[in-house]
Structure formats: structure tokens, C-alpha cells
Amino acid sequence: MSKSTRLPVFGRGSSGRSGRRGGTVTLIEDRVTRSYTRTAKTALYVVTAVVGLLAAVVAASYLHPIVALVAGLAIGLAVALPTAGIIAAWPVIRVVWWWLPEITVSGLIVAGFVIVSDHTGLVGRVVIVGLVAGVPAAISPVRRRIVSYAWCLISRHRLRACFNEFIISNRSGSLPLILWAMPTPVGERIWIWLRPGLAVSDLENRLDKIAVACWAANVTVERASSRNAAFLRIDIKRRNALTGTVNSPLVDMVDPNTPATVKTTTTAPVPTALDLPDIPAPSPVPDTIPRIDKRTERADKKPASAPSPAPASGAAPAPKTAKSVTPDDVLDWV
């Protein structure tokens, strides 16, 4: 009799890191499931005790202490069960997050087709499907935009494959969380969130492998926040935008019959050395400024005195002012 073995749910069997056993592909590893299960149990006990105690203390003011204790435990369990359930189901929620764009697009397509089928016939369905698929494919800007978003979805899955293959995870087996992706002129930009136990150096040392796995020319990684080292930005570059040809409308504005102008310029020879003996020395400036006597300058500046009136007939002449006997002029000392 062959011994039956039970495969783990969403887990990896004992075949190692091959990721395959019995034709199944691993989405969630066993150690990740066990780790989140232990965390969920711990959260159930802690949240029940803390919330139940606080609720019992508040309820004791209105109810009997025993009734308040029972009510507090009930409230604690009501809060702890959803919390523990989210923690235990987080590996599954993370897989749904990885495939959320595809699930959303597929759901919209199926819902739209069902609505169209209920209101139109076969010919109408064929025409509508042809218009929805053919018009975006025929318009070049719309087609390129759709292709760029499709590459964003592909890069997210390729990056997740890189994390699962050769990026070192933490002790609980949690890989970096891929948040979202946006197209850029040269490729895609993806934001990720590192878990405890990981660092940006774990990615910087493997950028060449990430570029190969993402089918890109090169990959760069840098911090997306100056305050949080866990928030990173990965740029996947598939082409060089600087090598493309840009059509400028200014060329069409030039008249083709405009004659070409030839600009001739004469340039003087540039000296290559400086010979100081060839430069004449400046001649001294002679001191030819005349010296002015202060006494003569003040005398010239004195206003001319008005002529004294002639004395009247019969009047005595005015006495003359005595001349100062001081040999030096006092103004010279002021």
C-alpha cells in the first residue's frame, strides 16, 4: 500500500525550492502560513484580554461586576476574532493583492459581456466586441498606453518572482510587498515596501539579476521617502529615451529659398607669451602744480571796500585808524 501524504494548502511540499510537486505551483510557503497562524493566535489572546478588561472596567460602572466581566470578554472576542482572522488570512490576501488588477479587469470583461449578451443578439455582440478591441488597437496613442500598463502588470509579477527566487527574506519568510506600478517614458516604476529583516542593500547587490528576470536593460533602486527606509522605488528601464528622434516643427518654418549666409570673421593672433622688456616704462609725471600763498589767496578773496564818502564842506576829516603794530597776521595761526 502506498503511503498517502497530505499536501499543504497553498504551500510547498518537501521537494525543496523547486516549487512543484504533483503538478502544483506554490503560492504560499508552509513556513509563511505557520508564522502567520502563530501570530494570529497571539493576537487573539492579547486583543481579547486587553479589550475585554477595558470593556469590563467601563461596564462595571453600569452593571454587576460579574455581568460586566462577561460582557467585557464578549466584546473582547468580538474585536479579536476579526483581527486574528485578517492576520491568519494575510498570506492569501497578499496573493489576491498580487493578482488584483487582473482579477478586476477579468471581472469587468465578464460583467460587460454578460450585460451585452442580455440586451443584444449574436451580431450585436460581435460588433461591440470588435469595436471595443479594434478601436484601441487601431489608434496608436491608445495602443501604446495600453501596452505600457500591460508591462506594469508583467513587471510586478516578474519582480515578485525575483523576490521569491533569490532575494533573502526575513525569518518568518515574508518577502517585500509590491505596492503599485506606473509607466514611465523608459519603462516602469514600481514602489515596494520592505519587511523587517530586509534592507535596500539586499536589492542593490542583485540588480543585474532583477534586470535579467524583468527582461529590461537595467534596473535602479532608491529610497522613495527620506523618513522611511522601508519605502523604496524601483525603476525598470527598457529603452533610452535620449536616443530617439524628435520631430521639431521649427524646421518646416524655414524658407527653403533662403540664401545661405557665409560669415567671415578676422581674428587677431593670440599672444602665446609675454615679453616684459618690450613694454615701455611709464614716464614720471612732473610736479607742475604751482604753490599758492595763503595770504595772497585770502587777500584776493577779500571783497573790495566801498569808497568812503567825501567829507562835507566845513567838516573835519575822519580820523585814520591806527595800523596794527603786530608783525604777524593772526589769521595765519587760525
Side-chain angles (χ1 to χ4, degrees):
M1 295 179 63
S2 60
K3 183 178 180 182
S4 61
T5 58
R6 187 174 65 90
L7 294 177
V9 180
F10 296 106
R12 175 174 292 170
S14 59
S15 58
R17 297 189 59 83
S18 62
R20 297 177 180 272
R21 182 173 179 177
T24 60
V25 179
T26 299
L27 295 179
I28 302 174
E29 294 183 351
D30 291 342
R31 60 172 181 170
V32 177
T33 304
R34 291 193 299 267
S35 175
Y36 278 95
T37 302
R38 290 193 300 267
T39 306
K41 292 180 180 179
T42 304
L44 177 65
Y45 301 147
V46 173
V47 174
T48 301
V50 174
V51 176
L53 182 60
L54 293 176
V57 171
V58 176
S61 302
Y62 305 96
L63 303 173
H64 191 273
I66 298 178
V67 178
L69 181 61
V70 175
L73 291 176
I75 295 175
L77 284 174
V79 176
L81 286 175
T83 304
I86 294 174
I87 296 175
W90 175 251
V92 180
I93 296 174
R94 185 173 61 179
V95 173
V96 174
W97 170 259
W98 288 341
W99 295 91
L100 182 61
E102 289 83 355
I103 294 173
T104 304
V105 173
S106 301
L108 292 176
I109 292 175
V110 171
F113 187 79
V114 170
I115 294 174
V116 171
S117 300
D118 293 339
H119 295 82
T120 60
L122 178 60
V123 178
R125 290 197 296 268
V126 172
V127 172
I128 293 176
V129 171
L131 291 176
V132 172
V135 172
I139 302 175
S140 179
V142 178
R143 183 178 66 252
R144 288 196 297 267
R145 196 65 178 176
I146 294 175
V147 171
S148 63
Y149 279 105
W151 272 111
C152 291
L153 300 179
I154 295 173
S155 298
R156 291 179 76 251
H157 294 297
R158 299 304 300 173
L159 194 60
R160 178 176 58 86
C162 295
F163 293 161
N164 192 31
E165 290 296 330
F166 51 79
I167 298 298
I168 301 175
S169 61
N170 52 19
R171 294 181 60 184
S172 61
S174 299
L175 296 173
L177 179 63
I178 302 173
L179 299 178
W180 59 87
M182 291 296 293
T184 61
V186 297
E188 300 84 40
R189 175 170 292 178
I190 303 175
W191 286 267
I192 65 172
W193 187 272
L194 296 181
R195 301 301 180 86
L198 301 176
V200 65
S201 59
D202 297 332
L203 277 68
E204 291 177 343
N205 297 332
R206 298 171 174 84
L207 292 179
D208 52 348
K209 297 181 180 180
I210 297 176
V212 172
C214 294
W215 308 321
N218 56 74
V219 175
T220 60
V221 59
E222 59 182 358
R223 293 176 55 176
S225 174
S226 59
R227 296 180 298 177
N228 196 336
F231 192 32
L232 302 182
R233 181 176 63 244
I234 298 179
D235 288 315
I236 300 175
K237 302 178 181 180
R238 304 185 182 278
R239 52 193 172 272
N240 189 0
L242 299 178
T243 58
T245 302
V246 179
N247 296 325
S248 176
L250 299 178
V251 179
D252 299 333
M253 297 180 182
V254 179
D255 188 5
N257 298 325
T258 302
T261 57
V262 180
K263 185 177 180 181
T264 58
T265 57
T266 58
T267 57
V270 179
T272 57
L274 183 60
D275 192 2
L276 295 179
D278 294 341
I279 301 176
S283 59
V285 179
D287 188 6
T288 58
I289 301 176
R291 304 188 62 173
I292 302 175
D293 191 0
K294 294 182 180 180
R295 297 181 183 180
T296 307
E297 184 180 2
R298 282 195 300 269
D300 295 339
K301 290 182 179 180
K302 288 182 179 180
S305 59
S308 58
S313 60
K320 296 181 179 180
T321 304
K323 186 178 181 181
S324 176
V325 297
T326 305
D328 296 333
D329 192 355
V330 180
L331 296 176
D332 294 339
W333 304 95
V334 177

